[in-house]
Amino acid sequence: MKKMLEAKIKRALTLAAAERGLDLGPALDRFVVEEPRDPDHGHLATNAALVLAKAFGQKPTELADEILARLDNREGWIEKMEKAGPGFINFTLGLDWWAKALGDLLTAGDDFGRGEPKGLKVMVEYVSANPTGPLHVGHGRGAAIGDALARVLDRAGYEVVREYYINDAGRQMRLLGNSVYQRARELAGATEPFPDDHYRGQYIIDLAREALSREPGLLSRPEDEVVSELTDFAHQDILGGIKADLAAFRVGHEVWFSETSLYRDGLVDQALTFMRARGYIYEQDGALWFRATALGDEKDRVLIKSTGEKTYFAADIAYHWNKYQRGFDLVIDIWGADHHGYIPRMKAAVEALGRRRDDLAVILVQMVSLVRDGQPVSMSTRAGEFVTLKEVLDEVGADAARFMFLTRSPDTTLEFDLELAKAKTRDNPVYYVQYVGARIESILRGNPALAGDRPDLRRLVQPEETALIKHLTAFPELIQSAAQRWEPHHLTAYLTTLARLFHHYYGQHRVAVDDDPALASARLALVRAIRLVVRLGLDLLGVDSPNSM
RNA sequence: GCGCCCGUAGCUCAGUUGGAUAGAGCGCCGGACUACGAAUCCGUAGGUCAGAGGUUCGAAUCCUCUCGGGCGCGCCA
């Protein structure tokens, strides 16, 4: 909606500039169209006069008249234009405009808000938790953000692949197997202390118990052999649990990428060879180093230890090398905030691989703290214990959890209130938004005869109706903006506002007015549009939009 | 010590590609169902945008410094 206005204003600006022999150039992109605070003064405003003033070195107020004179209004879409404030022009849009906007929305239907294909391939890699333990709430937040971002990007017109990187190689896997082995020995009566650096969670003991029950004589076989088997057993069991948790959370990955496969397929060596050819590799102290300082990192990084073992970082470089080889124009990684120190070296690596550093975007997700009725919930009662994602899902459900995780910017720590997430009141934004859908469905069920008409949308003259249409028609812009900024959380704010506008409208006006079928018909069309956008919006968040609650 | 994130109403937070008088919800108080779902709505009150400088026509937004909170700084993964 703003685009059309912008185009018209840019024409007027260009005209004014041309008569002065000026090229506005980039200045043309400076002006913004926005919503005035006070709706009485118009529906949209622009600072076009300010832009002109800057270009011409004149006072904004003197130029507002000039712009107004150059705007053509032959189609009658503007009801009123007036100068306001320091160089602003307010536009009040007429009924024709709103009726057409709403009509277009209803015509588009399920395709409303779908962006033109951009011809760009984007990978979103998220969760990627080590298969050494169950997912916890922090992973849940990353999962919700990554999944919603992927949905938004897809809707905005990007080609999206969602991927999970399984860290199934190296020391931690051996530690996992050893942890289970040690617990099995304890269960069999051994008394030596459990090593500090091993995984201590209850799930390790459960795994040990299960392994012993399957094969009581397990510990009589050679240790190496048993640890290796237990590693595999634990890994598969835990990974299966992670997949089950994500499925319950309605989070899906098209690709599960194994770190081990990088070694098996020789990708680590390939990537290192490539970097060596570009001069970013050297040897020192018996180790192989990446000259990361040449590309902005604070220190050089080891790729192959003096023991001959490759580092996690080396594998990660190979993984990203592989991502780009698969043709992705942009790779978005979603990490926990405690990994922020890893960004400079990863960006450096991307450059060393011959890509621009902006071809990798990293979204850091800050911590989640759980509270219940405002009181903190202990996250680590004992070493190795934490609140798992599954526990949260079992208590509050996937809808509430997803929505709550997406109410805040990833940049800020999130306080997740379990009681609030379960509350069936206005306090809980999930129910508040879902209730809109249920209420409208109820109205539609009660008035099937009027719902199918082709109504005269110009009958929607109430300010509450205009406000709703305005908000509804901003949906496509919101999707584009959320996709470009990689910030899906704006959807929750948008939907909450939409819900507030609807509930307010509902309190002020009867939709199915008894004595005016034409008006009732128009209003039913409006609430159908609201229903549609609520469903589309919640779908982008991965949240259900039930017809009754 | 160095780096990243955060600091906005009593509480939880929107708002950062610089734009008009900084917005919601909760909480407090008072109202509204013999009309479409009261899981809702309506009405008041609440602010030196942590602080101080700077950039400019204009700053919550950009820059510098200070204070406070969180998280990092391995030949770990």
Side-chain angles (χ1 to χ4, degrees), chain A residues 274-476:
Chain A
F274 187 82
M275 287 168 70
R276 188 193 299 274
R278 291 171 57 88
Y280 289 112
I281 302 266
Y282 66 92
E283 279 187 54
Q284 186 179 308
D285 303 330
L288 197 72
W289 294 74
F290 167 43
R291 201 182 303 282
T293 47
L295 297 168
D297 197 4
E298 62 182 20
K299 55 178 79 164
D300 290 344
R301 308 290 175 178
V302 171
L303 299 173
I304 301 180
K305 303 182 223 174
S306 50
T307 60
E309 196 176 10
K310 287 164 182 129
T311 61
Y312 173 85
F313 183 43
D316 215 3
I317 291 173
Y319 179 40
H320 284 79
W321 155 263
N322 172 264
K323 287 181 181 181
Y324 293 116
Q325 281 191 325
R326 280 187 273 158
F328 289 101
D329 299 288
L330 173 67
V331 168
I332 301 177
D333 289 357
I334 296 179
W335 298 346
D338 52 346
H339 290 81
H340 73 256
Y342 197 72
I343 295 177
R345 84 188 66 167
M346 203 63 239
K347 291 247 182 192
V350 167
E351 271 198 277
L353 292 171
R355 300 289 302 214
R356 296 176 305 125
R357 60 173 43 220
D358 288 345
D359 291 344
L360 172 69
V362 179
I363 295 175
L364 292 177
V365 180
Q366 296 287 334
M367 294 195 346
V368 178
S369 59
L370 282 179
V371 299
R372 187 182 294 282
D373 287 332
Q375 298 302 311
V377 173
S378 174
M379 300 282 285
S380 56
T381 48
R382 286 187 309 249
E385 297 284 326
F386 39 76
V387 179
T388 63
L389 176 60
K390 184 175 189 324
E391 287 168 329
V392 172
L393 288 183
D394 287 346
E395 180 164 350
V396 310
D399 281 346
R402 289 188 70 122
F403 199 99
M404 289 296 178
F405 282 136
L406 289 162
T407 53
R408 306 270 178 268
S409 157
D411 284 340
T412 164
T413 55
L414 174 69
E415 201 169 273
F416 189 110
D417 193 316
L418 291 164
E419 292 306 318
L420 177 62
K422 282 192 294 185
K424 299 188 173 182
T425 65
R426 174 77 177 84
D427 315 6
N428 185 341
V430 189
Y431 283 92
Y432 189 65
V433 172
Q434 287 182 324
Y435 185 48
V436 173
R439 245 185 172 176
I440 291 175
E441 290 294 343
S442 177
I443 297 171
L444 296 177
R445 277 195 297 273
N447 301 277
L450 293 169
D453 284 4
R454 299 199 45 159
D456 178 10
L457 300 175
R458 295 164 44 102
R459 296 294 307 279
L460 302 173
V461 299
Q462 300 295 332
E464 292 86 357
E465 290 165 339
T466 303
L468 274 164
I469 297 173
K470 194 159 128 186
H471 196 64
L472 290 171
T473 53
F475 186 61

Side-chain angles (χ1 to χ4, degrees), chain A residues 126-204:
Chain A
Y126 59 106
V127 190
S128 296
N130 295 347
T132 54
L135 297 177
H136 54 75
V137 280
H139 294 126
R141 188 182 188 189
I145 289 172
D147 200 65
L149 177 59
R151 290 169 190 245
V152 167
L153 287 168
D154 176 73
R155 189 77 185 179
Y158 297 88
E159 199 179 318
V160 182
V161 170
R162 299 176 288 182
E163 191 151 318
Y164 188 118
Y165 182 51
I166 309 167
N167 301 134
D168 53 6
R171 194 177 86 98
Q172 60 179 350
M173 279 292 111
R174 293 196 299 276
L175 267 183
L176 176 65
N178 258 317
S179 302
V180 178
Y181 185 74
Q182 293 302 327
R183 288 303 192 195
R185 283 175 50 84
E186 285 176 13
L187 290 170
T191 54
E192 63 259 43
F194 192 74
D196 279 345
D197 60 348
H198 282 39
Y199 296 103
R200 310 186 73 88
Q202 176 64 39
Y203 62 95
I204 298 290

Side-chain angles (χ1 to χ4, degrees), chain A residues 17 169 224 250 517:
Chain A
D224 284 359
R250 293 201 290 272

Side-chain angles (χ1 to χ4, degrees), chain A residues 63-269:
Chain A
L63 286 158
D65 285 323
E66 188 168 339
I67 296 167
L68 289 175
R70 286 167 202 281
L71 279 169
D72 86 89
N73 191 27
R74 278 168 301 189
E75 298 142 36
W77 53 283
I78 301 175
E79 190 177 289
K80 197 170 67 176
M81 300 185 273
E82 59 191 358
K83 289 180 288 184
F88 283 84
I89 303 172
N90 287 339
F91 298 87
T92 302
L93 303 169
L95 288 178
D96 285 342
W97 173 286
W98 299 116
K100 181 172 189 312
L102 181 57
D104 289 350
L105 189 168
L106 287 164
T107 303
D110 283 349
D111 286 327
F112 182 61
R114 193 184 297 286
E116 293 294 315
K118 295 187 165 31
L120 288 173
K121 282 184 71 177
V122 181
M123 173 192 291
V124 185
E125 185 218 318
Y126 59 106
V127 190
S128 296
N130 295 347
T132 54
L135 297 177
H136 54 75
V137 280
H139 294 126
R141 188 182 188 189
I145 289 172
D147 200 65
L149 177 59
R151 290 169 190 245
V152 167
L153 287 168
D154 176 73
R155 189 77 185 179
Y158 297 88
E159 199 179 318
V160 182
V161 170
R162 299 176 288 182
E163 191 151 318
Y164 188 118
Y165 182 51
I166 309 167
N167 301 134
D168 53 6
R171 194 177 86 98
Q172 60 179 350
M173 279 292 111
R174 293 196 299 276
L175 267 183
L176 176 65
N178 258 317
S179 302
V180 178
Y181 185 74
Q182 293 302 327
R183 288 303 192 195
R185 283 175 50 84
E186 285 176 13
L187 290 170
T191 54
E192 63 259 43
F194 192 74
D196 279 345
D197 60 348
H198 282 39
Y199 296 103
R200 310 186 73 88
Q202 176 64 39
Y203 62 95
I204 298 290
I205 300 174
D206 295 341
L207 284 168
R209 185 170 290 122
E210 192 181 333
L212 280 175
S213 77
R214 284 187 185 186
E215 184 185 341
L218 186 72
L219 297 173
S220 59
R221 290 200 277 134
E223 177 171 342
D224 284 359
E225 179 185 310
V226 174
V227 167
S228 171
E229 284 178 21
L230 287 178
T231 301
D232 198 48
F233 170 61
H235 167 211
Q236 292 308 327
D237 187 90
I238 292 170
L239 190 59
I242 288 173
K243 288 185 177 181
D245 287 352
L246 289 177
F249 201 32
R250 293 201 290 272
V251 167
H253 294 85
E254 282 91 20
V255 180
W256 293 74
F257 198 98
S258 155
E259 180 185 2
T260 305
S261 75
L262 291 168
Y263 293 106
R264 189 191 60 217
D265 299 340
L267 290 172
V268 181
D269 292 330

